[in-house]
Amino acid sequence: MNRIGLEMIEAESLDQVRGQCVYPMVSEEYREAFKSLTQDVFKGRSGTLEFKMIGLKGRPLWLFTKAVPLRNEKGQIVLSLSVTIDITERKEMEEALQKNEERYRRITEAITDYIYTVRVENRRPVETRHSEACVAVTGFTSREFAEDPYLWIKMVSEEDHDLVREQAEEVLSGKTPDPIEHRIIRKNGSMRWVESAVVPHYDMNGTLISYDGIVRDITERRIAEEALLASEKKCRDLLENIQLIAVLLDLKGNITFCNDYFLRLTGWSRDEALNRNWFDMFLPEDVKGYGKSVFRANITRGTILHNENPIITRQGVLRQIVWDIAVLHDSDGNVTGTAGIGIDVTEHRMLEEQLRQAQKMEAIGHLAGGIAHDFNNILSAIVGYAHLTLMKMKDNDPLRINIEHILASSGRAASLIQSLLAFSRKQIILLKLVDINEILYDIKTILCRIIGEDIDFKTDTAVKRLIVKADKSQIEQALMNLATNARDAMPHGGTLTISAEEVEINGRFIQMHQFGEPGRYAVITVADTGVGMDEKTKKNIFEPFFTTKEVGKGTGLGLAMVYGTIKQHNGYINVYSEPGKGTTFKIYLPLEGPGEQPAEKKGASTVSAGTETILLVEDEEIVRAIMRSLLEESGYTVLEATDGEDGLRLFKENRGKINLVLSDIIMPKMQGREMYEEIKKIAPDIKILFISGYPADFIDQKSFSEKGKNIIDKPVIPDELLRKIREVLDN
Ligand code: ADP
Ligand code: MG
């Protein structure tokens, strides 16, 4: 081994390596090849090998060796002679080159752009040069582009030909067209989306000499965009078509999206609603502040929220909405606004409220009914015994007046109980076919008396007959109660209007009013122009004992009774009222079929009428007023007295004129019976008809008349009263 050889293997001297095997120094992967080369040499073949070797000090080096056999005179191979050169430098260069190539290949594979230049003469392309990268995008080489002058347009997908041509024509005419996006078919037949931009170049005279184009593969972007568009469309379609409210708000609370359902519900058009502030436009004043603060809290905290609040429609109607609200973010995670999905629960809430109200009324009804029933029994005992005591007393007994007071109070209690029973629908009703118009006609005068002269009274009956199955006297009582309330609501005068009409309750009606069974109804409307009611009052008016009137002025039983009566008639009652705007009650009673006719009026008005003079003794002003008008309407002349004493005085004054005394039994000062006794002393044949305020059983009827013939029960039913009067007079 020569000196250079020793240096190569990093040996100090020949001694260091003499007699040693060279194999371990050869890099492992070349060891076998090296061995076989040596063996070949000894078999007489010479050979070459490039291999890697590790120097004694660990330096790697590349060697090229040529080995030839050396033979003796006999031709025997005795030695292998190798000439070895260091090729490390070359090898390293090769490696670097390889790496570079690899990198380059990867770059071209990844490249999505290529550039081309078109030389132009007289506005016509004459030569085109494409950068090598064109192969990555199109699959065609620059050479192929150079050889085929039409390849640039041939590779464009059919449907985009015009677009691409236009761009070329524009740039050839010297302008700079906008970049375009189009499809190309690659050499391998696959489709790609590219973006193509061109820039013209001019010479010093301003003549177009060439243009450069850059073509970029945007397939991935297009696919992503299309996928995004498709998924956006899906979302949008969903939001548009669901029967739920969908509203998107930006950070200021302005509406950036709302669906058709929402627009239909609120009555606004999309243009009117978009970009408007949600809170200003759709939230009622009283929840606006709260709504805004919740909104702000949510966009700062980025949480999800469930909420329920009313919104205002274009018509100013409130709709109750349950919301599920999500906070929206952009791709960087910043909050951009909120998305709300809302369910309109207005009808649900109203039904719930109605059900609650109905259940409450039912419960109160049970309670009131139960109490009234027991109390009635107790009252019977009180009245009965008080009466017995009274009968056993001497006429001048000073304690008499106490018992009379007991009886008078019991009478009032009995009438309260009557109202309670009506409310709890425990009263006995007598259903007959009647024409509502007729009821209104008949009660007109009485109502007139009730409301007094300061109030205008108008009635408006229907042209058609409105036949319902009803207890006439109870419907009348209900109307009287309503009129009394109207009077109280108009202390300084006003107008009371009572009208009747036919109304059809159908699905739409039920949806709008939230009550009713489908069918045809007679509707009695009682409207006043009085003080009206606030919401809170309106909620409670039908409850027994609810009154806003001073102690002693209101019992709170008027409307409770009306309610019970109407329910018992399978009807509905509804109230519309606002403070200062008057009150309207509407009573719906189911109409009978067109074939049904009310029983003939039994000629009541003619047969029961008369021209006689009647002394009416009654302490209750309203009852007196009612009876007076009833009697006068039937042709009688009426003298009115407010108690027994007054009655006696009037009788004396009009002696001979009076044909009949119609008297209450229990009255202050002088009672009916007492008065009768006194009158009989003056006119023994005088005809008398008593009106009893409480159940007949509790009064010893014999003391008034035989078999109770001349006694009539309260509440007085007009027809019955007139018939009875006629009966007594004609007897
Ligand atoms: P009362 O008349 O004894 O108070 P009601 O049951 O008849 O009892 O009426 C209950 C309450 O309803 C009244 O106290 C009043 O507040 C209210 N109300 C009834 N009718 C009217 C009306 N026409 N206008 C205003 N308020 C009314
Ligand atoms: Mg009342």
Side-chain angles (χ1 to χ4, degrees):
M1 185 176 278
N2 59 6
R3 194 181 48 80
I4 296 177
L6 289 174
E7 263 174 34
M8 272 185 204
I9 60 165
E10 296 180 302
E12 307 286 321
S13 63
L14 190 59
D15 293 343
Q16 208 179 337
V17 290
R18 182 178 299 139
Q20 278 193 22
C21 183
V22 72
Y23 290 163
M25 276 197 283
V26 175
S27 174
E28 223 179 288
E29 62 264 43
Y30 294 99
R31 222 168 270 164
E32 278 309 309
F34 193 87
K35 262 188 202 166
S36 64
L37 175 78
T38 324
Q39 281 158 10
D40 280 356
V41 171
F42 283 101
K43 282 177 192 156
R45 286 191 296 263
S46 53
T48 60
L49 178 71
E50 277 186 13
F51 67 97
K52 200 172 175 183
M53 193 168 141
I54 309 298
L56 289 177
K57 289 179 181 161
R59 183 187 64 175
L61 77 164
W62 280 96
L63 296 176
F64 173 82
T65 187
K66 180 167 177 140
V68 287
L70 268 187
R71 301 167 195 262
N72 59 14
E73 315 75 81
K74 291 176 195 158
Q76 290 166 319
I77 298 167
V78 290
L79 249 178
S80 158
L81 177 74
S82 341
V83 181
T84 302
I85 50 172
D86 185 346
I87 56 164
T88 305
E89 214 164 303
R90 198 197 86 206
K91 269 290 180 190
E92 277 172 358
M93 267 172 66
E94 264 178 25
E95 258 177 15
L97 202 64
Q98 221 170 26
K99 260 189 209 149
N100 251 342
E101 258 173 16
E102 173 70 14
R103 193 180 322 140
Y104 183 72
R105 192 178 57 77
R106 274 205 230 113
I107 288 171
T108 35
E109 270 173 12
I111 228 165
T112 55
D113 293 10
Y114 69 88
I115 294 168
Y116 61 91
T117 303
V118 179
R119 196 157 64 75
V120 179
E121 273 172 19
N122 296 323
R123 301 195 155 196
R124 302 190 55 158
V126 287
E127 189 194 341
T128 311
R129 264 183 299 129
H130 281 66
S131 73
E132 293 297 339
C134 65
V135 71
V137 178
T138 67
F140 298 106
T141 60
S142 53
R143 179 117 156 256
E144 283 170 306
F145 275 107
E147 280 167 1
D148 183 347
Y150 297 108
L151 185 55
W152 65 276
I153 187 77
K154 277 190 203 158
M155 71 168 179
V156 172
S157 160
E158 198 66 33
E159 50 268 66
D160 293 335
H161 266 197
D162 289 348
L163 185 70
V164 176
R165 265 186 216 287
E166 249 170 56
Q167 192 193 34
E169 277 161 21
E170 221 179 313
V171 73
L172 283 173
S173 73
K175 287 181 234 152
T176 308
D178 288 334
I180 55 170
E181 288 182 8
H182 65 87
R183 281 151 287 190
I184 60 164
I185 308 298
R186 279 168 59 98
K187 193 175 183 179
N188 67 6
S190 64
M191 197 274 285
R192 306 293 288 177
W193 273 97
V194 295
E195 183 188 61
S196 155
V198 288
V199 216
H201 299 292
Y202 312 93
D203 66 8
M204 303 225 291
N205 306 320
T207 313
L208 181 73
I209 47 165
S210 71
Y211 64 86
D212 290 337
I214 177 158
V215 177
R216 163 172 301 172
D217 190 331
I218 55 161
T219 311
E220 304 307 324
R221 196 190 84 201
R222 284 294 291 227
I223 289 171
E225 273 174 12
E226 271 161 23
L228 195 66
L229 279 176
S231 93
E232 252 182 20
K233 185 173 169 345
K234 249 186 250 163
C235 279
R236 198 165 281 263
D237 283 353
L238 177 69
L239 289 182
E240 278 302 349
N241 296 317
I242 45 173
Q243 295 297 301
L244 292 171
I245 297 171
V247 174
L248 305 193
L249 302 182
D250 66 12
L251 288 176
K252 288 187 197 133
N254 292 336
I255 300 165
T256 54
F257 170 87
C258 56
N259 65 352
D260 283 347
Y261 177 80
F262 172 75
L263 295 170
R264 273 199 306 279
L265 185 77
T266 56
W268 296 98
S269 74
R270 180 160 278 118
D271 285 349
E272 286 166 327
L274 279 186
N275 299 319
R276 292 285 298 277
N277 188 273
W278 169 259
F279 301 97
D280 292 341
M281 189 160 173
F282 289 104
L283 288 205
E285 226 30 73
D286 52 336
V287 295
K288 196 185 279 183
Y290 173 74
K292 275 186 187 174
S293 66
V294 169
F295 175 73
R296 253 179 258 122
N298 279 285
I299 53 178
T300 38
R301 272 188 282 121
T303 47
I304 288 174
L305 179 97
H306 302 271
N307 197 12
E308 178 172 340
N309 65 265
I311 61 171
I312 315 176
T313 69
R314 182 174 209 153
Q315 293 76 30
V317 178
L318 293 183
R319 308 288 315 183
Q320 191 69 14
I321 313 293
V322 170
W323 295 100
D324 209 323
I325 296 167
V327 175
L328 297 178
H329 300 90
D330 64 12
S331 50
D332 296 333
N334 301 315
V335 174
T336 57
T338 60
I341 299 289
I343 306 173
D344 180 0
V345 295
T346 315
E347 270 82 36
H348 282 83
R349 294 288 179 266
M350 268 157 85
L351 279 178
E352 278 170 16
E353 175 59 30
Q354 260 181 1
L355 190 65
R356 257 201 301 277
Q357 187 69 14
Q359 281 169 342
K360 190 170 84 181
M361 293 299 251
E362 205 55 46
I364 299 174
H366 276 304
L367 188 69
I371 292 172
H373 185 260
D374 287 350
F375 200 70
N376 227 353
N377 289 336
I378 297 165
L379 203 59
S380 308
I382 294 171
V383 172
Y385 284 113
H387 213 86
L388 281 176
T389 311
L390 201 61
M391 284 189 333
K392 298 254 163 72
M393 273 177 171
K394 293 207 178 72
D395 281 355
N396 56 358
D397 194 319
L399 288 178
R400 228 187 143 86
I401 188 72
N402 294 358
I403 306 293
E404 278 158 12
H405 280 318
I406 291 174
L407 283 170
S409 300
S410 304
R412 266 200 295 284
S415 86
L416 281 184
I417 284 168
Q418 211 51 46
S419 306
L420 273 183
L421 285 173
F423 170 69
S424 55
R425 291 174 246 161
K426 293 239 164 72
Q427 63 182 355
I428 296 145
I429 59 166
L430 241 111
L431 294 179
K432 281 191 198 136
L433 292 173
V434 282
D435 184 347
I436 289 293
N437 292 313
E438 221 172 271
I439 295 185
L440 290 191
Y441 184 81
D442 289 351
I443 202 178
K444 220 162 151 178
T445 335
I446 300 172
L447 294 182
C448 233
R449 292 266 163 86
I450 290 175
I451 58 172
E453 280 166 9
D454 292 344
I455 294 168
D456 268 348
F457 180 42
K458 290 181 189 154
T459 50
D460 185 10
T461 44
V463 187
K464 256 180 150 176
R465 306 190 75 187
L466 301 171
I467 309 299
V468 297
K469 241 189 200 144
D471 186 323
K472 191 175 173 212
S473 66
Q474 291 203 24
I475 297 295
E476 284 173 342
Q477 184 60 49
L479 291 174
M480 286 193 277
N481 289 1
L482 291 175
T484 310
N485 284 343
R487 178 199 63 201
D488 293 347
M490 298 186 284
H492 309 296
T495 308
L496 172 67
T497 314
I498 301 187
S499 56
E501 64 190 318
E502 183 181 329
V503 158
E504 162 117 25
I505 291 190
N506 54 22
R508 249 198 21 238
F509 180 100
I510 296 168
Q511 201 189 8
M512 207 163 97
H513 294 83
Q514 297 300 315
F515 69 82
E517 284 281 317
R520 287 165 54 251
Y521 288 77
V523 179
I524 309 172
T525 306
V526 180
D528 66 54
T529 56
V531 293
M533 286 175 254
D534 56 21
E535 281 299 321
K536 233 176 105 192
T537 305
K538 223 159 52 179
K539 259 193 168 161
N540 297 310
I541 50 172
F542 295 116
E543 278 169 33
F545 304 113
F546 174 84
T547 179
T548 57
K549 295 169 192 172
E550 309 167 26
V551 180
K553 285 224 167 149
T555 58
L557 284 173
L559 289 178
M561 195 205 145
V562 173
Y563 181 86
T565 298
I566 302 307
K567 283 280 152 201
Q568 221 170 359
H569 282 79
N570 294 319
Y572 306 100
I573 180 159
N574 207 11
V575 61
Y576 305 87
S577 185
E578 266 176 65
K581 298 214 174 130
T583 302
T584 300
F585 284 94
K586 275 182 187 282
I587 293 173
Y588 296 78
L589 296 172
L591 276 175
E592 287 303 314
E596 310 285 350
Q597 294 294 329
E600 267 310 305
K601 243 189 148 189
K602 297 186 275 174
S605 49
T606 44
V607 174
S608 303
T611 50
E612 290 89 343
T613 300
I614 295 173
L615 173 62
L616 171 62
V617 192
E618 164 68 67
D619 60 321
E620 284 248 18
E621 202 186 322
I622 292 176
V623 180
R624 199 169 63 237
I626 293 166
M627 293 212 285
R628 185 203 177 115
S629 62
L630 182 71
L631 295 174
E632 283 181 344
E633 251 182 287
S634 306
Y636 295 104
T637 305
V638 181
L639 295 170
E640 268 182 68
T642 54
D643 55 51
E645 263 177 34
D646 196 29
L648 188 57
R649 181 182 55 80
L650 267 176
F651 190 84
K652 284 177 183 160
E653 280 172 24
N654 296 282
R655 196 184 304 209
K657 281 192 212 156
I658 292 164
N659 306 97
L660 174 88
V661 178
L662 179 62
S663 173
D664 197 5
I665 297 174
I666 310 295
M667 285 179 296
K669 291 185 188 162
M670 185 184 281
Q671 279 204 31
R673 195 189 65 131
E674 220 179 315
M675 178 192 73
Y676 178 49
E677 296 302 331
E678 292 299 317
I679 288 176
K680 262 209 306 206
K681 286 178 194 160
I682 307 160
D685 295 335
I686 188 68
K687 297 201 157 126
I688 180 99
L689 178 59
F690 284 110
I691 312 156
S692 158
Y694 28 73
D697 334 356
F698 308 135
I699 300 164
D700 186 22
Q701 295 185 356
K702 274 189 201 136
S703 61
F704 299 105
S705 64
E706 267 152 53
K707 291 171 200 154
K709 251 188 176 175
N710 291 357
I711 192 158
I712 185 165
D713 286 338
K714 271 184 187 172
V716 174
I717 295 152
D719 281 355
E720 223 175 285
L721 178 68
L722 293 173
R723 217 182 51 239
K724 197 91 181 184
I725 289 174
R726 208 55 264 164
E727 211 179 287
V728 176
L729 280 170
D730 295 344
N731 205 321

